[in-house]
Amino acid sequence: MLDIRKVRANFDEVKEKLSKRGEDLSDFDKFSGLDEKRRELIVKTEVLKAERNNVSQQIATMKRNKENADEVILRMREVGEEIKELDDELREVEEKLNYIMMRIPNIPHESVPFGDSEDDNVEIRTWGERPEFEFEAKPHWDLGTDLNILDFERAAKVTGSRFVFYRGLGARLERALINFMLDLHIDEHGYEEILPPYLANRESLTGTGQLPKFAEDLFHVEEEDFFLIPTSEVPVTNFHRDEILNGEQLPIAFTAYSANFRSEAGSAGRDTRGLIRQHQFNKVELVRLVKPEDSYAELEKLTGHAEKVLQLLKLPYRVLNMCTADLGFTAAKKYDIEVWIPTQNMYREISSCSNFEDFQARRAHIRYRSEAGAKPEYVHTLNGSGLAVGRTVAAILENYQQEDGSVIIPEVLRPYMGGKEVITK
RNA sequence: GGGGAAGUACUCAAGUGGCUCAAGAGGUGCCCCUGCUAAGGGCAUAGAUCGCGUAAGCGGUGCGAGGGUUCGAAUCCCUCCUUCUCCGCCA
């Protein structure tokens, strides 16, 4: 959510910046009228409430002195009615204002390239050597199925499309990756490990920005009004929701493994085969709560932590600075890390590293005091995948495949795989 | 799933409709006393948020959350949440 005072004071400038996202801003024009109406109603209602407070004291005194207060009470009854009407009107105006504010995306940072589509994302760097095969490389779903480590058919039977069974060394590879990533972030990068709930309530999803606008992307448990988390960003960022932190605690760095659940509404027909787009997938997430002045340096740091995983796995990748059209709702700036998928002859997203500035903190009420007694300020929140595990498995299978259909296990994972060096039939 | 109890500020805690627009204590901060420390004494302490105002400041909200009754609600009524506890069930 944007700062309502800043929007008020710099309406045209804010609107101009938001328009770069290519977002429909027709609702946004109603802001000024509603904001003014709101403050006008507040003034009116507060004058009456102040009067009511005073007169109620007078009535108390009169009653104590056994004086007749009927006339005053009658008058105050009318004032009470008037307050109720104004409060109702105020509530309506605030609901409308809130409706708009909760659906306005974040303002892009000045270092974000302008663009109309994903074609305008800017490649910042590439890393690693793409493998060259002397044979026809197989897609990871064929490799996984032939090696009997992935079973899409049975998952479709047991649950439905876009689910998978990992089996044998496949399951172990997934688990090895999770542990490898967590250990790296904990031991080398200084993160604290969190194992969060996989269901979150409406307030939490609103805090991180998935709600109210993107409900159709989520699985919903109606009975309890819980949502399956689409990323552990949700429970982990909301860990400190409605809290005022001590400035000395910052930066807070959490890493969390969780399963993630996405309805993938609207992506019918895309990536229908393989591990790239599943309704349920594993991910190790990085979350940082930082002081505002540090957040852009922190974004570089966080992105580096995610890249390190790919470097140690020796998987080729590139980093993109996402343009205004491809930023997502909540981010002020976002880097996507894309891993090389040989059979698709392209890089595919494996991590998204974002600085949300105070956009999520404002929604989730996460604040800090720079020193004891100082006024609370919003923290800046960041997160990034470190990494999406299923897509990492896809990348390993495809990049490390051999002519006979076996797959070499990256060296750093072997201690997590019982010392095995290769996955064969 | 069923039954009980509770939720008040940083902590503990009083408070059954108006001299409480939250008493008191602890803690914390500042000060006094003292050669130093302890003990003792004094003062301060509702954080947060919203609105008006150039500002000093003024006002609204606030007793787990949200509604309601009333001239007036921490207090009465309704719904919900959380914690503790007993019974049942369960990994």
Side-chain angles (χ1 to χ4, degrees), chain A residues 5 8 38-39 42-43 46 49-50 52-53 56 59-60 64 73 76-77 84 367 369 375-376:
Chain A
R5 289 197 190 86
R8 184 185 298 154
R38 168 174 174 267
R39 285 180 293 148
I42 286 174
V43 170
E46 284 189 354
K49 283 177 183 173
R52 180 177 68 186
N53 286 344
S56 289
I59 292 172
R64 236 175 281 123
I73 287 174
M76 289 324 289
R77 190 174 294 169
K84 199 171 283 182
R367 292 174 293 174
R369 280 183 227 278
K375 250 186 90 74

Coordinates of all heavy atoms in Angstrom, one line a residue, chain A residues 5 8 38-39 42-43 46 49-50 52-53 56 59-60 64 73 76-77 84 367 369 375-376, chain B residues 1 18-19 21 47-53 59-61 66-73 81-82:
Chain A
R5 N -0.5 9.9 2.6 CA -0.1 11.4 2.7 C 0.7 11.7 1.5 O 0.6 12.8 1.0 CB 0.6 11.6 4.0 CG -0.2 11.6 5.2 CD 0.5 12.3 6.4 NE -0.2 12.0 7.6 CZ 0.0 11.0 8.4 NH1 0.8 10.0 8.0 NH2 -0.7 10.8 9.5
R8 N -1.5 12.1 -1.5 CA -2.2 13.3 -1.4 C -1.4 14.5 -1.8 O -1.8 15.3 -2.6 CB -2.7 13.5 0.1 CG -3.6 14.7 0.3 CD -3.8 14.9 1.8 NE -4.5 13.7 2.4 CZ -4.5 13.3 3.6 NH1 -3.7 14.0 4.5 NH2 -5.1 12.3 4.0
R38 N -13.4 12.3 3.1 CA -13.1 11.5 4.3 C -12.7 12.5 5.4 O -13.2 12.5 6.6 CB -12.0 10.6 4.1 CG -11.4 10.0 5.4 CD -10.4 8.9 5.1 NE -9.7 8.5 6.4 CZ -8.6 9.1 6.9 NH1 -8.0 10.0 6.2 NH2 -8.2 8.7 8.0
R39 N -11.8 13.4 5.1 CA -11.3 14.3 6.1 C -12.4 15.3 6.6 O -12.5 15.7 7.7 CB -10.1 15.1 5.6 CG -8.9 14.2 5.6 CD -7.6 14.8 5.1 NE -7.7 15.1 3.7 CZ -7.1 16.2 3.2 NH1 -6.4 17.0 3.9 NH2 -7.2 16.4 1.9
I42 N -14.5 13.5 9.0 CA -13.8 13.3 10.3 C -13.9 14.6 11.1 O -14.2 14.5 12.3 CB -12.3 12.9 10.1 CG1 -12.2 11.5 9.6 CG2 -11.5 13.1 11.3 CD1 -10.8 11.1 9.2
V43 N -13.7 15.7 10.5 CA -13.8 17.0 11.3 C -15.2 17.1 11.9 O -15.4 17.4 13.0 CB -13.5 18.2 10.3 CG1 -13.8 19.5 11.0 CG2 -12.0 18.1 10.0
E46 N -15.9 14.6 14.7 CA -15.1 14.8 15.9 C -15.6 16.0 16.7 O -15.5 15.9 17.9 CB -13.6 14.9 15.5 CG -13.0 13.6 15.1 CD -11.5 13.7 14.9 OE1 -10.9 14.8 15.0 OE2 -10.9 12.6 14.8
K49 N -18.4 14.6 18.6 CA -18.0 13.6 19.7 C -17.4 14.4 20.9 O -17.6 14.0 22.0 CB -17.0 12.6 19.1 CG -17.7 11.5 18.3 CD -16.6 10.6 17.7 CE -17.3 9.6 16.8 NZ -16.4 8.7 16.1
A50 N -16.7 15.4 20.6 CA -16.1 16.2 21.7 C -17.2 16.8 22.5 O -17.1 16.9 23.7 CB -15.2 17.3 21.1
R52 N -20.2 15.6 22.8 CA -20.9 14.5 23.5 C -20.1 14.2 24.8 O -20.7 14.0 25.9 CB -21.0 13.3 22.6 CG -21.7 12.1 23.3 CD -21.9 11.0 22.4 NE -20.6 10.4 22.0 CZ -20.5 9.4 21.1 NH1 -21.5 8.9 20.5 NH2 -19.3 8.9 20.8
N53 N -18.8 14.1 24.7 CA -18.0 13.8 25.8 C -18.1 14.8 26.9 O -18.3 14.5 28.1 CB -16.5 13.7 25.4 CG -16.2 12.5 24.6 OD1 -17.0 11.5 24.6 ND2 -15.1 12.5 23.9
S56 N -21.8 14.7 28.4 CA -22.0 13.5 29.2 C -21.5 13.7 30.6 O -22.1 13.2 31.6 CB -21.4 12.3 28.5 OG -22.1 11.9 27.4
I59 N -24.0 15.8 32.4 CA -25.1 15.0 32.8 C -24.8 14.2 34.1 O -25.6 14.2 35.0 CB -25.6 14.1 31.7 CG1 -26.1 14.9 30.5 CG2 -26.6 13.1 32.2 CD1 -26.4 14.1 29.3
A60 N -23.6 13.7 34.1 CA -23.2 12.9 35.3 C -23.2 13.8 36.5 O -23.7 13.4 37.6 CB -21.8 12.3 35.1
R64 N -25.7 13.5 39.8 CA -25.2 13.4 41.2 C -25.8 14.4 42.1 O -26.0 14.2 43.3 CB -23.7 13.5 41.1 CG -22.9 12.4 41.7 CD -21.4 12.5 41.6 NE -21.0 12.1 40.2 CZ -20.3 12.9 39.4 NH1 -20.0 14.2 39.8 NH2 -19.9 12.5 38.2
I73 N -30.5 15.5 27.9 CA -30.4 14.1 27.4 C -31.2 14.1 26.1 O -30.7 13.4 25.1 CB -31.1 13.1 28.4 CG1 -30.1 12.9 29.6 CG2 -31.4 11.8 27.7 CD1 -30.6 12.1 30.7
M76 N -29.0 15.5 23.5 CA -27.8 14.7 23.2 C -28.3 13.4 22.4 O -27.5 12.9 21.6 CB -27.1 14.2 24.4 CG -26.4 15.3 25.1 SD -25.6 16.5 24.0 CE -24.3 15.5 23.3
R77 N -29.5 13.0 22.5 CA -30.0 11.9 21.8 C -29.9 12.3 20.3 O -29.5 11.4 19.4 CB -31.5 11.6 22.1 CG -32.0 10.3 21.6 CD -33.3 10.0 22.1 NE -33.3 9.7 23.5 CZ -34.4 9.5 24.3 NH1 -35.6 9.7 23.8 NH2 -34.3 9.2 25.6
K84 N -24.0 9.0 14.5 CA -24.1 7.7 13.9 C -24.2 7.8 12.4 O -23.6 7.0 11.7 CB -25.4 7.0 14.5 CG -25.4 5.5 14.3 CD -26.5 4.8 15.0 CE -26.2 4.7 16.5 NZ -27.3 3.9 17.2
R367 N 6.9 -2.4 11.7 CA 7.6 -1.2 11.9 C 8.8 -1.4 12.9 O 9.0 -2.5 13.4 CB 6.7 -0.1 12.6 CG 5.6 0.3 11.6 CD 4.6 1.2 12.2 NE 3.8 0.5 13.2 CZ 2.9 1.1 14.0 NH1 2.7 2.4 13.9 NH2 2.2 0.4 14.9
R369 N 11.8 0.9 15.6 CA 12.3 2.2 16.1 C 13.8 2.3 15.9 O 14.5 1.4 16.3 CB 12.0 2.3 17.6 CG 10.6 2.6 18.0 CD 10.4 2.7 19.5 NE 9.3 2.1 20.0 CZ 8.1 2.6 20.0 NH1 7.9 3.8 19.5 NH2 7.0 1.9 20.4
K375 N 10.1 7.6 16.9 CA 8.9 7.3 16.3 C 9.0 6.1 15.5 O 10.0 5.9 14.8 CB 8.4 8.5 15.4 CG 7.2 9.2 15.9 CD 6.8 10.3 14.9 CE 5.7 9.7 14.0 NZ 4.4 9.6 14.6
P376 N 8.0 5.2 15.5 CA 8.1 4.0 14.7 C 8.1 4.3 13.2 O 7.3 5.2 12.8 CB 6.8 3.2 15.0 CG 6.3 3.8 16.3 CD 6.8 5.2 16.3
Chain B
rG1 P -14.3 -28.6 16.4 OP1 -13.7 -29.1 15.2 OP2 -15.0 -27.3 16.4 O5' -15.2 -29.7 17.1 C5' -16.4 -30.0 16.6 C4' -17.0 -31.0 17.6 O4' -16.0 -32.0 17.9 C3' -17.4 -30.4 19.0 O3' -18.6 -29.8 19.0 C2' -17.3 -31.7 19.8 O2' -18.5 -32.5 19.7 C1' -16.1 -32.4 19.2 N9 -14.9 -32.1 19.9 C8 -13.8 -31.3 19.4 N7 -12.9 -31.2 20.3 C5 -13.3 -31.8 21.5 C6 -12.7 -32.0 22.7 O6 -11.6 -31.6 23.1 N1 -13.5 -32.7 23.6 C2 -14.8 -33.2 23.3 N2 -15.4 -33.8 24.3 N3 -15.3 -33.1 22.1 C4 -14.6 -32.4 21.3
rG18 P -20.8 4.0 37.0 OP1 -19.6 3.2 37.0 OP2 -21.7 4.1 38.2 O5' -20.5 5.5 36.5 C5' -19.6 5.7 35.4 C4' -19.5 7.2 35.1 O4' -20.7 7.6 34.4 C3' -19.3 8.0 36.3 O3' -18.5 9.1 36.0 C2' -20.7 8.5 36.6 O2' -20.7 9.8 37.2 C1' -21.3 8.6 35.2 N9 -22.7 8.5 35.1 C8 -23.6 7.8 35.9 N7 -24.8 7.7 35.5 C5 -24.8 8.5 34.3 C6 -25.8 8.8 33.4 O6 -27.0 8.5 33.5 N1 -25.4 9.6 32.4 C2 -24.1 10.0 32.2 N2 -23.8 10.7 31.1 N3 -23.1 9.7 33.0 C4 -23.5 9.0 34.1
rC19 P -17.0 9.2 36.7 OP1 -16.5 10.5 36.5 OP2 -16.3 7.9 36.4 O5' -17.4 9.0 38.3 C5' -16.5 8.9 39.3 C4' -16.0 10.2 39.8 O4' -17.1 10.9 40.5 C3' -14.9 10.2 40.8 O3' -13.7 10.1 40.2 C2' -15.1 11.5 41.5 O2' -14.4 12.6 40.8 C1' -16.6 11.7 41.4 N1 -17.3 11.5 42.7 C2 -17.1 12.4 43.8 O2 -16.4 13.3 43.6 N3 -17.8 12.1 44.9 C4 -18.6 11.1 45.1 N4 -19.2 10.9 46.2 C5 -18.8 10.1 44.0 C6 -18.1 10.4 42.8
rC21 P -13.6 9.4 34.1 OP1 -13.2 10.7 34.8 OP2 -15.0 9.3 33.7 O5' -12.7 9.1 32.9 C5' -13.0 8.0 32.1 C4' -12.5 8.4 30.7 O4' -13.3 9.6 30.2 C3' -11.0 8.9 30.7 O3' -10.1 7.9 30.6 C2' -11.0 9.8 29.4 O2' -10.9 9.1 28.3 C1' -12.4 10.4 29.5 N1 -12.5 11.8 30.1 C2 -12.4 12.9 29.2 O2 -12.3 12.6 28.0 N3 -12.4 14.1 29.7 C4 -12.4 14.3 31.0 N4 -12.5 15.6 31.4 C5 -12.5 13.2 31.9 C6 -12.5 12.0 31.4
rG47 P 2.8 7.5 25.6 OP1 3.8 8.1 26.5 OP2 1.7 8.4 25.0 O5' 3.5 6.8 24.4 C5' 4.4 5.8 24.6 C4' 4.0 4.5 23.9 O4' 2.8 4.0 24.5 C3' 3.6 4.7 22.4 O3' 4.7 4.9 21.6 C2' 2.8 3.4 22.1 O2' 3.8 2.4 22.0 C1' 2.1 3.2 23.5 N9 0.7 3.8 23.3 C8 0.2 5.0 23.6 N7 -1.0 5.1 23.4 C5 -1.4 3.9 22.9 C6 -2.7 3.4 22.5 O6 -3.8 4.1 22.4 N1 -2.6 2.1 22.0 C2 -1.5 1.4 22.0 N2 -1.7 0.1 21.5 N3 -0.3 1.8 22.4 C4 -0.3 3.0 22.8
rA48 P 4.5 5.9 20.4 OP1 5.7 5.8 19.6 OP2 4.0 7.2 20.9 O5' 3.3 5.3 19.5 C5' 3.5 4.1 18.8 C4' 2.2 3.6 18.3 O4' 1.2 3.5 19.4 C3' 1.5 4.4 17.3 O3' 2.1 4.3 16.0 C2' 0.1 3.9 17.4 O2' -0.1 2.7 16.7 C1' -0.1 3.7 18.9 N9 -0.6 4.9 19.6 C8 0.0 5.9 20.2 N7 -0.8 6.8 20.7 C5 -2.0 6.4 20.3 C6 -3.3 7.0 20.6 N6 -3.5 8.1 21.2 N1 -4.4 6.3 20.1 C2 -4.2 5.2 19.4 N3 -3.0 4.6 19.1 C4 -2.0 5.2 19.6
rU49 P 2.1 5.6 15.1 OP1 2.9 5.1 13.9 OP2 2.5 6.8 15.8 O5' 0.6 5.7 14.6 C5' -0.1 4.7 13.9 C4' -1.5 5.0 13.9 O4' -2.1 5.0 15.2 C3' -1.9 6.3 13.3 O3' -2.0 6.3 11.9 C2' -3.3 6.5 13.9 O2' -4.3 5.7 13.3 C1' -3.1 5.9 15.3 N1 -2.8 7.0 16.3 C2 -3.8 7.7 16.9 O2 -5.0 7.5 16.6 N3 -3.4 8.7 17.8 C4 -2.1 9.0 18.2 O4 -1.9 9.9 19.0 C5 -1.1 8.2 17.5 C6 -1.4 7.3 16.6
rC50 P -1.7 7.7 11.2 OP1 -1.4 7.3 9.8 OP2 -0.7 8.5 11.9 O5' -3.1 8.4 11.2 C5' -4.2 7.8 10.5 C4' -5.5 8.5 10.9 O4' -5.7 8.4 12.3 C3' -5.4 10.0 10.7 O3' -5.7 10.3 9.3 C2' -6.6 10.5 11.6 O2' -7.8 10.2 11.0 C1' -6.3 9.6 12.8 N1 -5.4 10.2 13.8 C2 -6.0 11.1 14.7 O2 -7.3 11.4 14.6 N3 -5.3 11.7 15.7 C4 -4.0 11.5 15.7 N4 -3.3 12.1 16.7 C5 -3.3 10.6 14.8 C6 -4.1 10.0 13.9
rG51 P -5.0 11.6 8.7 OP1 -5.3 11.6 7.2 OP2 -3.6 11.8 9.2 O5' -5.9 12.8 9.3 C5' -7.2 13.0 8.9 C4' -7.9 14.0 9.8 O4' -7.8 13.6 11.2 C3' -7.3 15.4 9.8 O3' -7.7 16.1 8.6 C2' -7.9 16.0 11.1 O2' -9.3 16.3 10.9 C1' -7.8 14.8 12.0 N9 -6.6 14.8 12.8 C8 -5.5 14.0 12.7 N7 -4.6 14.2 13.6 C5 -5.2 15.2 14.4 C6 -4.7 15.9 15.6 O6 -3.6 15.7 16.2 N1 -5.6 16.8 16.1 C2 -6.8 17.1 15.5 N2 -7.5 18.0 16.1 N3 -7.3 16.5 14.4 C4 -6.4 15.6 13.9
rC52 P -6.7 17.3 8.1 OP1 -7.2 17.7 6.8 OP2 -5.3 16.8 8.2 O5' -6.9 18.5 9.2 C5' -8.2 19.1 9.2 C4' -8.2 20.1 10.3 O4' -8.0 19.4 11.6 C3' -7.0 21.1 10.3 O3' -7.2 22.2 9.4 C2' -6.9 21.6 11.8 O2' -8.0 22.5 12.0 C1' -7.2 20.3 12.5 N1 -6.0 19.6 12.9 C2 -5.3 20.0 14.0 O2 -5.8 20.9 14.7 N3 -4.2 19.3 14.4 C4 -3.7 18.3 13.6 N4 -2.5 17.8 14.0 C5 -4.3 17.9 12.4 C6 -5.5 18.6 12.1
rG53 P -6.0 22.7 8.5 OP1 -6.6 23.8 7.7 OP2 -5.3 21.6 7.9 O5' -5.1 23.4 9.6 C5' -5.4 24.6 10.3 C4' -4.4 24.9 11.3 O4' -4.3 23.9 12.3 C3' -2.9 25.0 10.8 O3' -2.6 26.2 10.1 C2' -2.2 24.8 12.1 O2' -2.2 26.0 12.8 C1' -3.0 23.8 12.9 N9 -2.5 22.5 12.6 C8 -2.8 21.6 11.6 N7 -2.1 20.5 11.6 C5 -1.2 20.7 12.7 C6 -0.2 19.8 13.2 O6 0.1 18.7 12.8 N1 0.4 20.4 14.3 C2 0.1 21.6 14.8 N2 0.9 22.0 15.8 N3 -0.8 22.4 14.3 C4 -1.5 21.9 13.3
rG59 P -8.2 19.3 24.3 OP1 -9.2 19.5 25.3 OP2 -7.0 18.6 24.6 O5' -8.9 18.4 23.1 C5' -10.2 18.8 22.7 C4' -10.5 18.1 21.4 O4' -9.4 18.3 20.4 C3' -10.6 16.6 21.4 O3' -11.9 16.1 22.0 C2' -10.5 16.3 19.9 O2' -11.7 16.6 19.2 C1' -9.4 17.2 19.5 N9 -8.1 16.5 19.6 C8 -7.1 16.7 20.5 N7 -6.1 15.9 20.3 C5 -6.5 15.2 19.1 C6 -5.8 14.2 18.4 O6 -4.6 13.7 18.6 N1 -6.5 13.7 17.3 C2 -7.7 14.2 16.9 N2 -8.3 13.6 15.9 N3 -8.4 15.1 17.6 C4 -7.7 15.6 18.7
rG60 P -12.0 14.7 22.6 OP1 -13.3 14.6 23.3 OP2 -10.7 14.4 23.3 O5' -12.0 13.7 21.3 C5' -13.1 13.8 20.5 C4' -12.9 12.8 19.3 O4' -11.7 13.2 18.6 C3' -12.6 11.4 19.7 O3' -13.8 10.7 20.1 C2' -12.1 10.8 18.5 O2' -13.0 10.6 17.5 C1' -11.2 12.0 18.0 N9 -9.8 11.8 18.5 C8 -9.1 12.5 19.5 N7 -7.9 12.0 19.7 C5 -7.7 11.1 18.7 C6 -6.6 10.2 18.4 O6 -5.5 10.2 19.0 N1 -6.9 9.3 17.4 C2 -8.1 9.3 16.8 N2 -8.1 8.3 15.8 N3 -9.1 10.0 17.0 C4 -8.9 10.9 18.0
rU61 P -13.8 9.6 21.3 OP1 -15.2 9.2 21.5 OP2 -13.0 10.1 22.4 O5' -13.0 8.4 20.6 C5' -13.6 7.7 19.5 C4' -12.6 6.8 18.9 O4' -11.4 7.5 18.5 C3' -12.1 5.7 19.8 O3' -13.0 4.6 19.9 C2' -10.8 5.3 19.2 O2' -11.0 4.5 18.1 C1' -10.3 6.7 18.6 N1 -9.3 7.3 19.5 C2 -8.0 6.8 19.4 O2 -7.7 5.9 18.7 N3 -7.0 7.4 20.3 C4 -7.3 8.4 21.1 O4 -6.4 8.8 21.8 C5 -8.7 8.8 21.2 C6 -9.6 8.3 20.4
rG66 P -12.0 -3.4 16.7 OP1 -11.4 -2.4 15.9 OP2 -12.2 -3.1 18.2 O5' -13.3 -4.0 16.1 C5' -13.3 -4.5 14.8 C4' -14.6 -5.1 14.4 O4' -14.7 -6.3 15.2 C3' -15.8 -4.3 14.8 O3' -16.1 -3.3 13.8 C2' -16.9 -5.4 14.8 O2' -17.2 -5.8 13.5 C1' -16.1 -6.5 15.5 N9 -16.3 -6.5 17.0 C8 -15.5 -5.9 17.9 N7 -16.0 -6.1 19.1 C5 -17.2 -6.7 18.9 C6 -18.2 -7.2 19.9 O6 -18.2 -7.0 21.1 N1 -19.3 -7.8 19.3 C2 -19.4 -8.1 17.9 N2 -20.5 -8.7 17.5 N3 -18.5 -7.7 17.0 C4 -17.4 -7.0 17.6
rG67 P -17.1 -2.2 14.2 OP1 -17.0 -1.1 13.2 OP2 -17.1 -1.9 15.7 O5' -18.5 -2.9 13.9 C5' -19.7 -2.4 14.5 C4' -20.7 -3.4 14.5 O4' -20.2 -4.6 15.2 C3' -21.9 -3.0 15.4 O3' -22.8 -2.2 14.6 C2' -22.5 -4.4 15.8 O2' -23.2 -5.0 14.7 C1' -21.2 -5.1 16.1 N9 -20.7 -4.9 17.4 C8 -19.6 -4.2 17.8 N7 -19.4 -4.1 19.1 C5 -20.6 -4.7 19.6 C6 -21.0 -4.9 21.0 O6 -20.4 -4.6 22.0 N1 -22.2 -5.6 21.1 C2 -22.9 -6.0 20.0 N2 -24.1 -6.6 20.3 N3 -22.6 -5.8 18.7 C4 -21.4 -5.2 18.6
rG68 P -23.2 -0.8 15.3 OP1 -23.9 0.0 14.2 OP2 -22.0 -0.2 15.9 O5' -24.2 -1.2 16.4 C5' -25.4 -2.0 16.1 C4' -26.0 -2.6 17.3 O4' -25.0 -3.4 18.0 C3' -26.5 -1.7 18.3 O3' -27.7 -1.1 17.9 C2' -26.6 -2.6 19.5 O2' -27.8 -3.4 19.4 C1' -25.4 -3.5 19.4 N9 -24.3 -3.0 20.2 C8 -23.1 -2.3 19.8 N7 -22.4 -2.0 20.9 C5 -23.1 -2.4 22.0 C6 -22.8 -2.4 23.4 O6 -21.8 -1.9 23.9 N1 -23.8 -2.9 24.2 C2 -24.9 -3.5 23.7 N2 -25.8 -4.0 24.6 N3 -25.2 -3.6 22.4 C4 -24.3 -3.0 21.6
rU69 P -28.1 0.3 18.5 OP1 -29.4 0.7 17.8 OP2 -26.9 1.2 18.4 O5' -28.5 0.1 20.0 C5' -29.6 -0.7 20.4 C4' -29.6 -0.8 21.9 O4' -28.4 -1.5 22.4 C3' -29.6 0.5 22.7 O3' -30.9 1.1 22.7 C2' -29.2 0.1 24.0 O2' -30.2 -0.6 24.8 C1' -28.1 -1.0 23.7 N1 -26.7 -0.4 23.6 C2 -26.1 -0.3 24.8 O2 -26.6 -0.6 25.9 N3 -24.8 0.3 24.7 C4 -24.2 0.6 23.6 O4 -23.1 1.1 23.7 C5 -24.9 0.5 22.4 C6 -26.2 -0.1 22.4
rU70 P -31.1 2.6 22.4 OP1 -32.5 2.9 22.4 OP2 -30.3 2.9 21.1 O5' -30.3 3.3 23.6 C5' -30.9 3.2 24.9 C4' -29.9 3.9 25.8 O4' -28.7 3.1 25.8 C3' -29.5 5.3 25.5 O3' -30.5 6.3 25.9 C2' -28.2 5.4 26.3 O2' -28.5 5.7 27.7 C1' -27.6 4.0 26.1 N1 -26.6 4.0 25.0 C2 -25.3 4.3 25.4 O2 -24.9 4.5 26.5 N3 -24.4 4.2 24.3 C4 -24.7 3.9 23.0 O4 -23.8 3.9 22.2 C5 -26.1 3.6 22.7 C6 -27.0 3.7 23.8
rC71 P -30.7 7.4 24.9 OP1 -31.9 8.2 25.4 OP2 -30.8 6.9 23.5 O5' -29.5 8.4 25.0 C5' -29.3 9.5 24.1 C4' -28.1 10.3 24.6 O4' -28.5 11.0 25.9 C3' -26.9 9.5 25.0 O3' -26.1 9.3 23.9 C2' -26.2 10.5 26.0 O2' -25.5 11.6 25.3 C1' -27.4 11.1 26.7 N1 -27.7 10.3 28.0 C2 -26.8 10.4 29.1 O2 -25.9 11.2 29.0 N3 -27.1 9.7 30.2 C4 -28.2 8.9 30.3 N4 -28.4 8.2 31.4 C5 -29.0 8.8 29.2 C6 -28.8 9.5 28.0
rG72 P -25.4 7.8 23.7 OP1 -24.6 7.9 22.5 OP2 -26.4 6.8 23.9 O5' -24.4 7.8 25.0 C5' -23.2 8.6 24.9 C4' -22.5 8.5 26.2 O4' -23.3 8.9 27.3 C3' -22.0 7.1 26.6 O3' -20.9 6.7 25.9 C2' -21.8 7.3 28.1 O2' -20.6 7.9 28.4 C1' -23.0 8.2 28.5 N9 -24.2 7.5 28.9 C8 -25.3 7.2 28.2 N7 -26.2 6.5 28.9 C5 -25.6 6.3 30.1 C6 -26.0 5.6 31.3 O6 -27.1 5.0 31.4 N1 -25.1 5.6 32.3 C2 -23.9 6.2 32.2 N2 -23.1 6.1 33.3 N3 -23.4 6.9 31.2 C4 -24.3 6.9 30.1
rA73 P -20.6 5.2 25.5 OP1 -19.4 5.1 24.8 OP2 -21.9 4.7 24.9 O5' -20.5 4.5 26.9 C5' -19.4 4.7 27.8 C4' -18.8 3.4 28.3 O4' -19.8 2.6 28.8 C3' -18.1 2.6 27.2 O3' -17.0 1.9 27.8 C2' -19.2 1.7 26.7 O2' -18.7 0.5 26.2 C1' -19.9 1.4 28.1 N9 -21.3 1.0 27.9 C8 -22.1 1.0 26.8 N7 -23.3 0.5 27.0 C5 -23.2 0.1 28.3 C6 -24.2 -0.5 29.1 N6 -25.4 -0.8 28.7 N1 -23.8 -0.8 30.4 C2 -22.6 -0.5 30.8 N3 -21.6 0.1 30.2 C4 -22.0 0.3 28.9
rC81 P -13.9 -18.4 16.1 OP1 -13.5 -19.3 15.0 OP2 -14.6 -18.8 17.3 O5' -12.7 -17.5 16.5 C5' -11.8 -16.9 15.4 C4' -10.7 -16.1 16.1 O4' -11.3 -15.1 16.9 C3' -9.9 -16.9 17.1 O3' -8.9 -17.7 16.5 C2' -9.3 -15.8 17.9 O2' -8.2 -15.2 17.3 C1' -10.5 -14.8 18.0 N1 -11.3 -15.0 19.2 C2 -10.8 -14.5 20.4 O2 -9.7 -13.9 20.5 N3 -11.5 -14.6 21.6 C4 -12.7 -15.2 21.5 N4 -13.4 -15.4 22.7 C5 -13.2 -15.8 20.3 C6 -12.5 -15.6 19.2
rU82 P -8.4 -19.1 17.1 OP1 -7.5 -19.7 16.2 OP2 -9.5 -19.8 17.7 O5' -7.5 -18.5 18.3 C5' -6.3 -17.8 18.1 C4' -5.7 -17.2 19.4 O4' -6.7 -16.3 19.9 C3' -5.5 -18.3 20.5 O3' -4.3 -19.0 20.3 C2' -5.5 -17.4 21.7 O2' -4.3 -16.7 21.8 C1' -6.6 -16.4 21.4 N1 -8.0 -16.8 21.9 C2 -8.2 -16.5 23.2 O2 -7.4 -16.0 23.9 N3 -9.5 -16.9 23.7 C4 -10.4 -17.5 22.9 O4 -11.5 -17.8 23.5 C5 -10.1 -17.8 21.6 C6 -8.9 -17.4 21.1

